[in-house]
Amino acid sequence: MSTAILPSATTTTSPFGSASHLQCRECGARYSLGAEYACIECFGPLEVGYEFGTVTREQIESGPLSIWRYSALLPVSATAALEPNLAPGFTKLVRADNLARALGMTGVLWVKDDSGNPTHSFKDRVVAVAQSAARRLGLSTLSCASTGNLANAVAAAAARGAQPSVVLIPSDLEPGKVVTTAAYGTTLIAVEGNYDDVNRLCSELIGDPVTDDWGFVNVNLRPYYAEGSKTLGYEIAEQLGWRLPQQVVIPIASGALLTKVDKGFREFIDLGLVEETPYRIFGAQAVGCSPVEQAFRAGHDVVRPVRPDTIAKSLAIGNPADGPYALDVVRRTGGSIGAVTDEEIVEGIRLLAETEGIFAETAGGVTVATLRALLRSGELDPTAETVLLNTGDGLKTLDAVSPHVGPAGTIAPSVSAVVDLLGGAA
Ligand SMILES: *Cc1c(COP(=O)(O)O)cnc(C)c1O
Ligand SMILES: [Zn+2]
């Protein structure tokens, strides 16, 4: 471990800003800030801890229109925004009245549309924070195990940073995600196996001399990476006018995003940036990969791994690292977790597109369909203000939708042909 903890180091010039240490989520053991991710005592995951100073709404509002407006709350130096990066975040919060009406909701419904990020998914947020940490820790090659969107985000961020990158993916990924990753000039390695196999391979690669200067954003840089997801929670609260929504629906892959949106809300409450009002957090999974939903329904604290089989490949993590913590958040806030079939996922994608003009990837379809399912089961309150997360762009998962939509017809370029096609009503 290279960086020692010095109480006086938590100033704006500190390499990790107000972050002061890493802490085991299981036993509480503390470590200095380094490229560490598992507790030596109990193998529990490590999380970034902070000593926040005063942070005001005015400070945040005067910052850049990106995640860097929250630099004081992230494990980054105050100058992270000035280093080469993709400046993700501050995506649109769209009021979705048409979708609300279609679902029979009377409470206001919002879509937080993270498809507006530089590589069209929320993964640009987590990579930007991990990239900053990699620089501080002297890890010059960016790497990751990816279910698709992370591959795009790492390859693009490394290109912007003029850094080498090595991206490992399961070999059965959507062609849209393979092409859009390779285009950034990364070393793309397709591994015969599923995400969990790729992730295990990356853990084994750490410690091999060949990866000495590699920062695996979601493995040895995971504590920093995961903090990037807090910015989604911050933005929702700020964009609602510095207050919390009553319900949030969040897709679950590893479960990190869900837990960090909650962490972001709680930090805003603790810092006095928003009033403490009750909120409930709901999780969304595909039936073909629903280990966290299954544990929730069974009342279990442990998440039993599954073998994924779903069109929602970006959520296809069978052994989710943050699954137990996602369960905790959902139970503590009084939410629940739903799971939807591949058919419902496609319906969800189409419903959001047809009602709001937002074309989501399969993960967004999971979230919309889960919102609908949990309204039907009575678990979600249709009268409460609700935020739905759309975490990715439908252009990357065209294969899921293309069998179901297409032209109304192919005609000759004549007025009569158009009139005929429209049913001859002229
Ligand atoms: C990675 C991903 C998620 C979930 O992320 P976790 O933090 O692993 O739960 C959700 N949506 C999309 C589109 C993703 O790529
Ligand atoms: Zn521990």
Side-chain angles (χ1 to χ4, degrees), residues 121-123 147 149 229 251-258 314-315 317 361 363 391-392:
S121 88
F122 97 94
K123 290 295 199 300
T147 58
N149 286 311
S229 288
I252 297 175
S254 72
L257 171 61
L258 185 145
S314 59
L315 302 182
I317 298 183
E361 74 143 87
T391 46

Side-chain angles (χ1 to χ4, degrees), residues 24 26-29 31 39 41-44:
C24 174
E26 290 301 319
C27 76
Y31 299 86
C39 179
E41 310 289 329
C42 76
F43 303 108

